[in-house]
Amino acid sequence: MKTQSIDHLTPMQKTLLITLGGRAADALWKRPILHDPLATEIVAHLDHDTLRLPMGVREAVAIRSRMLDRAVAQFVRSHPDAVVVELGAGLETRRYRVDAPPTVDWYDVDFPEVTELRKSLLPHRDNVHAVGVSLLDPRWADAIPGDRPTIVVSDGVLGFLSENDNRQILTTLTDHFTAGGELVFNAYTKFVARQNGRFTKIVGMPADFTGYGIDDPQDIVDLNPALTFVEELYGDAAPERDELNLAYRLMSRIFAAWPAQARRGVWIVNYRF
Ligand SMILES: C[S@@+](CC[C@H](N)C(=O)[O-])C[C@H]1O[C@@H](n2cnc3c(N)ncnc32)[C@H](O)[C@@H]1O
């Protein structure tokens, strides 16, 4: 693996450093939650100073990665002919964490600059395909088979785009993937989305940047009625919370019984199409 410059990336593209940094920091922690040494290896090969992540980001990223990994692992176990689509893949390493049958094809969608970086930094795997296209291009799914059971997974992406962008992306999704499947992603409440710039300014995003938030999982169905809401999961109620320190464990227990508050933490939503 050669050291790669990332100076050419836009601030939006550099947000990948935050989630990657969270996974790498977790791997170096004394009691890792996610255990992803590849994330640390990738960080070491980026010509960039290590980010100082705001408090709680390491834990939140590790927990939501585990929750999304579980959803994908479960889907590919019951659909060995599945297609996994990672929206806004960044330098995400899920493909190397989830044990998928060799018959599963994995499509990593992100801007061309980012997919090039992925190709130079991540180990080659058969059945892994880079799709360098903006999700704002209505043809973003054209290179991906639409006639196999599909799980579309997205971590830290849809909440960075506008409501209209989300409507368009989700419409392309349900129009293209006609064999049906699941959409699973981490959602932000409107309150949390308004605070987005506080976290993303460390990579050059405007401090007043606000993302897209929802207050009810049904809001996504209102954007695209071809989606059916299946379930929501809270990081505060996930088994991983027991691996946190005592203060976080106590807080999680209280928040888990209080949905409006739990949704402000790690909030995973799952839909069928
Ligand atoms: C916060 S990062 C998350 C990256 C990755 N999912 C992870 O967990 O590490 C957001 C990612 O979304 C990508 N992204 C943002 N807008 C996009 C768009 N319009 N089309 C494709 N990718 C986009 C960025 O390039 C970046 O890689």
Side-chain angles (χ1 to χ4, degrees):
M1 215 190 274
K2 266 176 47 195
T3 299
Q4 299 291 332
S5 163
I6 52 164
D7 291 346
H8 60 297
L9 299 188
T10 64
M12 175 60 98
Q13 293 167 348
K14 282 185 185 162
T15 60
L16 63 83
L17 294 174
I18 303 173
T19 34
L20 174 69
R23 288 187 287 271
D26 172 75
L28 294 173
W29 199 246
K30 45 189 180 301
R31 289 186 309 278
I33 294 172
L34 183 66
H35 304 269
D36 187 348
L38 181 55
T40 320
E41 214 179 303
I42 295 170
V43 168
H45 285 85
L46 291 178
D47 187 10
H48 193 273
D49 292 339
T50 306
L51 291 183
R52 284 173 64 87
L53 295 175
M55 211 172 86
V57 168
R58 172 177 59 79
E59 294 86 346
V61 168
I63 291 178
R64 77 186 199 212
S65 297
R66 283 266 295 260
M67 295 171 78
L68 292 171
D69 285 3
R70 263 200 293 280
V72 173
Q74 204 173 321
F75 191 86
V76 298
R77 252 197 317 273
S78 44
H79 300 91
D81 56 339
V83 162
V84 180
V85 182
E86 186 91 42
L87 297 186
L91 293 174
E92 164 61 78
T93 38
R94 197 179 328 281
R95 175 65 194 91
Y96 307 86
R97 295 193 301 266
V98 170
D99 183 23
T103 42
V104 167
D105 277 291
W106 210 288
Y107 288 83
D108 295 315
V109 184
D110 208 304
F111 292 108
E113 297 83 343
V114 176
T115 50
E116 282 311 306
L117 201 56
R118 279 187 76 81
K119 283 191 222 160
S120 58
L121 287 168
L122 275 76
H124 171 81
R125 282 278 191 286
D126 288 340
N127 303 342
V128 174
H129 317 273
V131 184
V133 67
S134 169
L135 290 165
L136 305 187
D137 178 340
R139 299 168 60 92
W140 65 262
D142 281 8
I144 310 174
D147 56 355
R148 288 163 56 183
T150 303
I151 181 158
V152 180
V153 57
S154 186
D155 186 346
V157 181
L158 297 177
F160 283 12
L161 305 173
S162 70
E163 179 173 313
N164 263 338
D165 295 340
N166 272 277
R167 184 180 289 108
Q168 184 191 307
I169 291 166
L170 298 180
T171 303
T172 302
L173 189 159
T174 53
D175 284 352
H176 183 81
F177 297 105
T178 50
E182 278 181 36
L183 165 68
V184 60
F185 64 99
N186 75 301
Y188 301 119
T189 62
K190 289 183 177 153
F191 174 81
V192 171
R194 279 198 296 275
Q195 323 268 320
N196 232 325
R198 280 179 43 203
F199 296 96
T200 53
K201 68 180 182 198
I202 57 172
V203 291
M205 293 285 282
D208 60 355
F209 170 70
T210 59
Y212 169 60
I214 57 174
D215 280 339
D216 190 296
Q218 197 60 31
D219 294 350
I220 295 293
V221 180
D222 294 343
L223 285 188
N224 181 351
L227 292 166
T228 304
F229 171 59
V230 177
E231 65 173 350
E232 60 181 311
L233 298 168
Y234 308 138
D236 285 322
E240 289 76 23
R241 75 172 180 190
D242 293 334
E243 299 174 37
L244 298 172
N245 68 30
L246 181 65
Y248 273 126
R249 281 206 302 278
L250 289 174
M251 217 159 54
S252 295
R253 269 170 219 284
I254 298 167
F255 290 172
W258 179 10
Q261 180 60 41
R263 286 172 175 171
R264 291 184 179 182
V266 172
W267 183 24
I268 303 294
V269 287
N270 190 315
Y271 299 84
R272 198 173 48 241
F273 55 87

